[in-house]
């Protein structure tokens, strides 16, 4: 059980690293290609990547508490 | 006010910071003035509020002083107001005391009655003394002349006697005292009676004597008067010789003297008799006043005697008076006759002066002239007398009428007096008769009362007889019953003894039989016991094997699966349900996988603890990453003791994660896995999830250990039971 926790954190960090890096990359590309080398796309997409990573991490940690409901159709 | 000033100062400082240095003092002043203005208004407000509060308090205190109910209400509702009121107004007025007159009223009559009793008590010896005093006074008084002296003591005796009559009714006195008093009273009565009777007899005797003397004197007077009258008549009518006449006249004079003397004597005797009768009457009154029953007939007789004597006296007096009146008439007649004779003599002398001597001697000497003159004188005299007679006849009528009138008047008077005296006599007679009748009735009543009392006494004796009969019956019945009870007791006792004997015999027989049976059974059970012992030994061995297999746990590895040992245990206790149940109570995991040892759990616990600390804030509602961050920060900053002794009872404050973890750590270090598991079971949220695995393992271990310990205890017990002491 305790290992699972550590594992989750590892996944989270790896995931956030990947996403932020990817975001940064995409941001750089976009800023160079379309936005005249402004900084804001970089920050924007890095932020997007961070946000996605954050969300994923949160989802991962929350997963035990999530309730999956099913809609029962009246027959 | 200070705060306002400070605010102003701050504002000024800020302004200074912003850089407007030049305007600082002005603004400062302005601030002050504005602060001052606001201060003045604030002061007004403060003053007004103080005034209101002070007025309210003062008004409350003054009204509380006037109305104690209001004061008590306020004291009840507002705390510490009673202290304030006590300081300002003094202690509260006491509740009105309800008077208790009932007790007083009850006490008073008792007191009064006791006082009256006491006075009565004190009066009694006085009265007794008075009675005793009166009694010796009586005989002394009896010797004196009657009437006044006996009257007061007898009256007091009478009064005391009536009071004494009341006294015994009010208060019970000892019998001897009562009889003594009664005897004294009787004696006193007897004494008075004796004295009274003696008095009565004396006075009766004296009055009788005197009355008889008076009557005799009156009779003597009567005879004297009659004699005198007779003599007078004779003297007037008779024409005897002169010496005879003078003798007659002398006799008449003697008779007159005798009559006057007799009348005087009679009068004196009458007076004396009247006095004596008066005295007798007094004595009779006294005797009546003494109110003693025994004297009554004597009194009545005395009264009768008195009455008779009075009647006789009156009669005799009447007779004497009649005789006297007759004598008066006769004397008047004699006077008239004498007067006529004198007149005639004078006339004769005037006509014939020479003839002085008596008639008869002159018969031859008289001449015809003398005779003629005499006859003429006689004729003239006859005419005159005839005329006088006619006149007299005429006047006679008138005189007769007047005389009749007078006679009528006198007759009336006499009649009246006679009527009065007759009435008096009648009244006296009636009274005497009434008294006699009263005495008779009293006698009759006394006799009747005596008969009634006798009847009552008879009834009482009958009643006593009945009561005694009833009592006899009751006592007989009681005695019979006691006899019966005793007999029954004896019987039961005898029966009990026989029964006991039988019982003891039966008991002995039973005991012997039971012993025999016991011996047989003992032998049988020995065999069984041997068998049991073998089986128990077997079981014990298998349980020991199971126990040993528990110890095969590694540091982090679980024990080997306990399946084999459990099977052996089950085989060895095939017929024992309890052991079977226990053997099958081993959890499946332990059988298949084995359980962890306590040491490994302990080591693992530290990791669990660390992790639980870190995620202490996370639960179903708070589980965002931000919360995770906060939880981490809390775990880093919070310092709780590593180990803390858990209390006997967990309070809600102890359900905090960190506290629970410290308690659990403490228990783990002391080897109490169970308590640690219980404590960790109280975790909530994410820490619980984190500790779940560890908890499960701990549970498994605990279960297995419990089952095995029970089995070994059971095996030991069975083994102990089957071993025989040497």
């Amino acid at each position: 059980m305790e290992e699972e926790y550590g594992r989750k954190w590892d996944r989270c960090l790896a995931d956030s690293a990947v996403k932020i890096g990817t975001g940064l990359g995409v941001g750089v590309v976009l800023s160079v290609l379309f936005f005249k080398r402004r900084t804001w796309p970089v920050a924007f997409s890095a932020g997007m990547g961070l946000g996605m990573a954050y969300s994923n991490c949160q989802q991962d940690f929350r997963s035990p508490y999530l309730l999956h409901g099913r809609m029962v159709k009246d027959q | 006010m200070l705060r306002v000033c400070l605010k102003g100062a701050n504002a000024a400082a800020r302004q200074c910071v912003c850089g407007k240095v030049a305007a600082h003092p002005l603004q400062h002043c302005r601030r002050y003035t504005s602060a001052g203005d606001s201060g003045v208004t604030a002061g007004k407000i403060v003053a007004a509020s103080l005034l209101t509060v002070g007025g309210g308090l003062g008004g409350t205190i003054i009204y509380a002083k006037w109305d104690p109910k209001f004061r008590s209400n306020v004291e009840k509702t507002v705390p510490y107001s009673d202290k304030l009121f006590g300081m300002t107004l003094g202690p509260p007025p006491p509740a009105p005391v309800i008077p208790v007159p009932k007790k007083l009223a009850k006490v008073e009559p008792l007191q009064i009655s006791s006082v009256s009793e006491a006075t009565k008590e004190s009066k009694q010896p006085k009265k007794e003394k008075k009675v005793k005093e009166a009694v010796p006074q009586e005989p002394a008084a009896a010797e004196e002349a009657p009437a006044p002296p006996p009257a007061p003591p007898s009256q007091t005796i009478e009064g005391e006697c009536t009071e004494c009559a009341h006294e015994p009714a009010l208060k019970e006195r000892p019998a001897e005292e009562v009889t003594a008093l009664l005897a004294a009273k009787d004696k006193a009565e007897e004494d008075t009676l004796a004295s009274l009777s003696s008095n009565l007899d004396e006075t009766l005797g004296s009055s009788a004597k005197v009355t008889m003397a008076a009557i005799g004197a009156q009779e003597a007077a009567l005879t004297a008067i009659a004699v005198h009258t007779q003599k007078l008549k004779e003297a007037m009518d008779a024409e005897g010789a002169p010496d005879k006449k003078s003798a007659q006249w002398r006799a008449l004079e003697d008779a007159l003297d005798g009559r006057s003397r007799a009348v005087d004597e009679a009068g004196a005797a009458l007076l004396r008799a009247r006095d004596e009768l008066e005295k007798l009457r007094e004595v009779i009154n006294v005797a009546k006043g003494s109110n003693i029953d025994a004297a009554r007939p004597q009194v009545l007789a005395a009264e009768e005697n008195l009455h008779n004597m009075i009647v006789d006296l009156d009669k005799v007096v009447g007779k004497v008076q009649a005789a006297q009146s007759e004598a008066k008439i006769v004397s008047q007649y004699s006077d008239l006759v004498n007067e006529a004779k004198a007149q005639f003599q004078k006339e004769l002398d005037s006509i014939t002066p020479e003839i002085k001597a008596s008639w008869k001697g002159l018969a031859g000497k008289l001449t015809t002239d003398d005779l003629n003159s005499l006859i003429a004188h006689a004729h003239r005299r006859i005419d005159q007398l005839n005329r006088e007679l006619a006149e007299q006849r005429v006047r006679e009528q008138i005189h007769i009428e007047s005389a009749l009138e007078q006679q009528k008047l006198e007759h009336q008077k006499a009649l009246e007096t006679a009527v009065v005296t007759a009435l008096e006599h009648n009244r006296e007679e009636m009274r005497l008769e009434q008294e006699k009748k009263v005495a008779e009735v009293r006698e009759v009543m006394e006799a009747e009362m005596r008969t009634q009392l006798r009847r009552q006494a008879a009834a009482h004796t009958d009643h006593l007889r009945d009561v005694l009969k009833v009592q006899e019956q009751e006592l007989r019945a009681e005695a019979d019953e006691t006899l019966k009870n005793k007999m029954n007791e004896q019987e039961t006792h005898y029966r009990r003894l026989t029964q006991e004997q039988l019982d003891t015999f039966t008991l002995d027989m039973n005991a012997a039989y039971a012993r025999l049976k016991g011996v047989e059974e003992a032998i049988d059970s020995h065999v069984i016991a041997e068998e049991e012992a073998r089986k128990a030994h077997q079981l014990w061995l298998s349980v020991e094997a199971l126990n040993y297999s528990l110890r095969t746990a590694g540091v982090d590895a679980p024990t080997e699966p306990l399946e084999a040992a459990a099977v052996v245990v089950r085989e060895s206790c095939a017929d024992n349900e309890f052991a079977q149940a226990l053997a099958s109570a081993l959890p499946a995991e332990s059988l298949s996988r084995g359980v962890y040892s306590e040491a490994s759990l302990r080591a693992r616990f530290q990791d669990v603890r660390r992790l639980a600390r870190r995620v202490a804030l996370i639960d179903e509602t708070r589980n965002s990453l931000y919360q995770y961050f906060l939880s981490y920060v809390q775990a880093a900053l919070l310092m709780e003791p590593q180990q803390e002794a858990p209390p006997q009872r967990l309070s809600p404050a102890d359900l905090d994660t960190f506290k629970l973890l410290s308690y659990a750590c403490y228990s783990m270090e002391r080897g109490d896995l169970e308590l640690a598991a219980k404590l960790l079971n109280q975790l909530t949220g994410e820490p619980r999830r984190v500790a779940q695995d560890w908890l499960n393992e701990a549970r498994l271990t605990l279960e297995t250990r419990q089952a095995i310990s029970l089995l070994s205890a059971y095996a030991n017990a069975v083994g102990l039971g089957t071993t025989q002491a040497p």
Side-chain angles (χ1 to χ4, degrees), chain A residues 1-6 8-9 12 50-51 53-66, chain B residues 604 607-608 611 614-615 618-621 623-626 628 632 685-687 689-694:
Chain A
M1 191 62 213
E2 301 87 55
E3 295 119 26
E4 190 192 330
Y5 199 65
K8 271 192 190 170
W9 272 118
C12 189
L50 177 68
Y54 187 89
S55 183
N56 267 357
C57 240
Q58 204 165 265
Q59 179 72 12
D60 195 9
F61 276 114
R62 266 188 190 168
S63 55
Y65 296 111
L66 285 176
Chain B
R604 206 169 136 185
D607 291 331
V608 167
L611 195 53
R614 265 197 234 143
V615 296
I618 312 297
D619 62 17
E620 298 94 5
T621 50
N623 48 21
S624 64
L625 274 180
Y626 177 59
Y628 271 95
Y632 269 53
E686 189 65 30
R689 275 194 65 241
V690 157
Q692 198 62 43
D693 276 346
W694 188 90

Side-chain angles (χ1 to χ4, degrees), chain B residues 154 312 417 534 586 627:
Chain B
S154 64
D312 290 338
T417 46
R534 200 184 55 74
L586 286 167
Q627 290 290 335

Side-chain angles (χ1 to χ4, degrees), chain B residues 535-548:
Chain B
K535 273 203 214 152
H537 201 64
Q538 192 93 10
L539 178 64
W540 187 80
L541 280 171
S542 55
V543 167
E544 278 297 302
L546 188 59
N547 224 346
Y548 186 74

Side-chain angles (χ1 to χ4, degrees), chain B residues 617-669:
Chain B
L617 275 179
I618 312 297
D619 62 17
E620 298 94 5
T621 50
R622 299 188 187 82
N623 48 21
S624 64
L625 274 180
Y626 177 59
Q627 290 290 335
Y628 271 95
F629 167 68
L630 286 176
S631 181
Y632 269 53
V633 167
Q634 185 192 53
L637 290 176
L638 201 80
M639 303 286 164
E640 89 274 14
Q642 176 77 4
Q643 291 173 23
E644 201 178 323
Q648 287 292 88
R649 299 164 73 96
L650 280 178
S651 60
D654 292 331
L655 294 176
D656 175 45
T657 309
F658 296 97
K659 262 229 165 83
L660 281 170
L661 287 171
S662 9
Y663 292 155
C665 188
Y666 179 88
S667 337
M668 279 305 299
E669 290 302 313

